[in-house]
């Protein structure tokens, strides 16, 4: 039977839906955020793993926010790769270059 009224969710169901959305958005952002985390690891001097973790957190926030904005414009699943663009561009800009002749 099809319900004909408003759908009501319990607080536990709302929490589960939000958790699935949060973890799903983080998982969809991984291709871009792992790239930025690798750049953070390469840029770290004293504690590269901690630096990579902070870069990953920042890249995740940037990618998820951009994906949400693109999805709000009605782009559907195209919002996911569009959300990767700012994070990958940031990784390209921050990527440390090395010169073989530098001492």
């Amino acid at each position: 039977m099809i319900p004909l009224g408003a759908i009501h969710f319990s607080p536990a169901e709302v929490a589960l839906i939000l958790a699935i959305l949060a973890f799903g958005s983080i998982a969809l952002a991984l291709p871009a955020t792992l790239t930025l985390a690798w750049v953070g690891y390469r840029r770290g001097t004293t504690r590269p793993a901690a630096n990579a973790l902070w870069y990953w957190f920042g890249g995740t926030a940037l990618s998820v926010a951009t994906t949400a904005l693109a999805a709000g414009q009605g782009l559907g699943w195209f919002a996911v790769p569009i959300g990767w663009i700012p994070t990958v561009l940031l990784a390209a800009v921050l990527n440390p270059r090395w010169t073989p002749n530098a001492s």
Side-chain angles (χ1 to χ4, degrees):
M1 182 165 199
I2 300 173
L4 298 176
I7 299 174
H8 298 285
F9 294 109
S10 70
E13 291 172 332
V14 171
L16 180 64
I17 291 169
L18 290 177
I20 290 170
L21 287 174
F23 288 121
S25 63
I26 291 170
L28 288 173
L30 279 177
T33 58
L34 289 178
T35 304
L36 189 60
W38 177 248
V39 169
Y41 181 82
R42 291 183 61 210
R43 290 177 62 94
T45 54
T46 57
R47 297 185 323 171
N51 200 35
L53 184 66
W54 282 112
Y55 275 59
W56 181 78
F57 280 135
T60 300
L62 179 63
S63 184
V64 168
T66 307
T67 301
L69 289 173
Q73 298 297 319
L75 295 175
W77 282 103
F78 291 111
V80 174
I82 289 172
W84 296 339
I85 293 172
T87 307
V88 171
L89 287 177
L90 185 63
V93 169
L94 294 177
N95 189 20
R97 306 282 186 237
W98 62 276
T99 56
N101 297 331
S103 55

